[in-house]
Amino acid sequence: MLSVYQVYLLPGNSVYCGSTISPSQIPLYTKCILRLKVILIFYSLQGRTLILKDIKSHESLSLVCITQLERRMADAGNKESAPIGGDEFTNTELENNKNNTMVEEGSTLLRRMEISVAEAEKRTGKNTVNMQEIFTVYLIETRPIDAITEGHNPAPDSLWRRYSEFEILRNYLLVTYPFIVVPPLPEKRAEFVWHKLSADNMDPDFVERRRVGLENFLLRVASHSVLSNDKILYHFLTEEHRWKEVVYETGFQAKADSRIKALSATFRVKNPDKRFTEMKHYSDELQSLTSQLLRVRARVADRLYGVYKVHGNYGRVFSEWSALEKEMGDGLQSAGHHMDAYAASVDDMLEEEEHYADQLKEYLFYAEALRAVCRKHELTQYELETASSDLISKKQQREELATGMVRTFSFKGMTNKLFGQETPEQREAKLSLLEEQIVQGEETVTEKTVECEEYVKGAWVDMQRFKEQKDRDLREALIGYAVMQISMCKKGIQVWTNAKECFHKM
């Protein structure tokens, strides 16, 4: 059906289409390369491409239709979020991170490239110990947005990736951008499932849900204003064979190993940042409450499955009974058909339930990513406090050497009593060494202070972005789940209303 619309040019060559009656409405989010002002057009939708046609000149213009999720991510990614240095990076490493950035900040990859995980495929091969194994690979398809907006429809570039390669990419992002709440991957094996659902990670339904989850992961990363501009991500999407060599050349694994050891060590921060402490407690509660919600949902799914199967039994009984009754037979058989149809719809209903469960599971795993950012801040703060404490100790030693006043119960006081006083030459040499160490210590404290402040600034900005995203996504998921449950109840009422009419006709 053709309608008359107006096209308005927005900054960055973006446009929105609104009806001539209410142009403030934004029903469709698009990208456009032509600098139009206002034209009257006809429009038709072909797949993901909107075809616009000028009424006067009949000139055609193709625009890319962005899905609701992509639009939401692109809008979130367009907010400024300055990349700040990580908690263990030197100036050289920070410079390397800047070199890894492809384009200017604020321009996300999702605005330049269409990304999808199109399909999954089982394959057989040999693992690292030369044993035969069955694994799943996922087809990633990419296509430049500019080519589509120009009216072309090029075949997408495609490559296959294993789940383990997605894990490598995420681990690299975690190490390289420790101040960012990195999006989680979908579960490797099914958790919080109702007992009738297969927990096999090779089950076709589970593989399909994981494919959707992997696509969601790529879309979230590609819409982030910092993560999306990393060259390693671009290599992951475009280079099938050399990508692993490129990512391992960054040396991220060595940094990851040292970070794991540091984070596993028990340390206590003397002056913790209350905001990060509260955020850490919040992430614990988010994980706990989401886990409880998923367990309750699994129990509800079990009971709903039972209810639907009971209707299947009703259908069987009514059908068998109809064979024995002449006058009531038709009514009983019709009621049985309604019951059978209702029971058969259980598979579609539970599949939709799993979709909402996967949305909740994403934030179950997000809680750990949020907690990791808080732990990295604790480590940064701990390193600052350790450097400050060491500097104070060195200055105290210098004061003792310079004045000759030694505390009786200090280690130095005990050694002086045992071995006698030091010669002036020895004292001067130690004093000179301490001066050098104090200068180095002051530089270290200054560097750690700046690093900690920058980490706090960058992490807090990204955590606020995450909270806004979380509130929006969970609200939509829970509303959708409620609407689905209401729809199921209405369907059940309709089935029994139809059965009642069948019984009246007997």
Side-chain angles (χ1 to χ4, degrees), residues 12 84 139 141 217 318 336 338 357 388 396 419 443 455 484 495:
I84 307 297
L139 181 65
E141 292 185 346
F217 165 76
F318 287 154
H338 288 301
S388 300
Q396 192 172 29
F419 304 106
E443 291 176 355
Y455 185 89
M484 185 201 72
V495 165

Side-chain angles (χ1 to χ4, degrees), residues 316-326 328-329 332-333:
R316 178 180 56 79
V317 171
F318 287 154
S319 296
E320 292 177 357
W321 193 4
S322 67
L324 302 176
E325 302 286 348
K326 292 184 178 179
M328 297 192 303
L332 288 170
Q333 189 173 28

Side-chain angles (χ1 to χ4, degrees), residues 184-402:
L185 291 169
E187 56 190 348
K188 197 165 188 175
R189 288 176 175 77
E191 299 177 14
F192 302 105
V193 297
W194 54 287
H195 74 277
K196 295 291 182 181
L197 190 69
S198 173
D200 180 14
N201 64 342
M202 288 295 176
D203 180 77
D205 291 334
F206 174 73
V207 170
E208 171 58 21
R209 294 203 330 271
R210 189 161 67 176
R211 180 198 66 77
V212 174
L214 292 173
E215 180 175 271
N216 183 51
F217 165 76
L218 290 180
L219 292 176
R220 288 205 185 278
V221 173
S223 66
H224 195 284
S225 58
V226 178
L227 300 180
S228 66
N229 291 322
D230 191 281
K231 287 183 178 179
I232 298 298
L233 171 64
Y234 186 78
H235 287 313
F236 177 86
L237 295 170
T238 56
E239 295 187 16
E240 184 162 13
H241 300 294
R242 195 176 174 274
W243 173 75
K244 281 189 179 181
E245 297 175 12
V246 174
V247 72
Y248 285 133
E249 285 173 1
T250 63
F252 83 96
Q253 278 191 312
K255 296 176 188 175
D257 293 339
S258 63
R259 190 183 302 275
I260 289 171
K261 291 176 183 177
L263 290 174
S264 63
T266 56
F267 54 83
R268 186 176 182 83
V269 178
K270 295 178 181 178
N271 299 305
D273 190 317
K274 290 184 178 179
R275 296 176 300 172
F276 283 84
T277 302
E278 291 172 359
M279 190 64 73
K280 190 175 179 180
H281 291 325
Y282 171 78
S283 66
D284 293 337
E285 291 180 359
L286 176 63
Q287 189 173 43
S288 174
L289 294 173
T290 308
S291 298
Q292 294 178 35
L293 184 60
L294 286 165
R295 291 190 186 97
V296 172
R297 187 213 66 86
R299 291 201 298 270
V300 170
D302 279 333
R303 294 189 179 185
L304 286 174
Y305 183 81
V307 168
Y308 276 74
K309 289 307 175 186
V310 166
H311 282 77
N313 291 336
Y314 272 125
R316 178 180 56 79
V317 171
F318 287 154
S319 296
E320 292 177 357
W321 193 4
S322 67
L324 302 176
E325 302 286 348
K326 292 184 178 179
E327 295 182 359
M328 297 192 303
D330 291 342
L332 288 170
Q333 189 173 28
S334 297
H337 287 325
H338 288 301
M339 298 296 172
D340 288 337
Y342 186 60
S345 65
V346 65
D347 293 332
D348 293 336
M349 181 274 297
L350 291 174
E351 183 179 341
E352 188 175 355
E353 275 231 341
E354 288 304 315
H355 166 71
Y356 291 112
D358 288 340
Q359 289 180 304
L360 292 175
K361 287 176 184 178
E362 181 185 18
Y363 280 92
L364 176 70
F365 305 139
Y366 251 127
E368 175 57 33
L370 184 61
R371 192 159 48 243
V373 174
C374 296
R375 286 199 302 264
K376 291 164 191 171
H377 169 259
E378 287 181 352
L379 179 58
T380 308
Q381 181 69 24
Y382 178 74
E383 290 175 346
L384 172 59
E385 291 179 359
T386 302
S388 300
S389 177
D390 186 59
L391 178 60
I392 292 172
S393 176
K394 291 288 191 300
K395 286 183 176 180
Q396 192 172 29
Q397 292 177 37
R398 180 184 64 181
E399 183 181 354
E400 291 177 353
L401 280 172

Side-chain angles (χ1 to χ4, degrees), residues 110-125:
L110 199 61
R111 291 181 177 273
R112 306 188 304 276
M113 178 184 289
E114 183 184 279
I115 303 169
S116 66
V117 180
E119 61 179 278
E121 181 181 291
K122 285 186 181 180
R123 290 185 182 178
T124 305

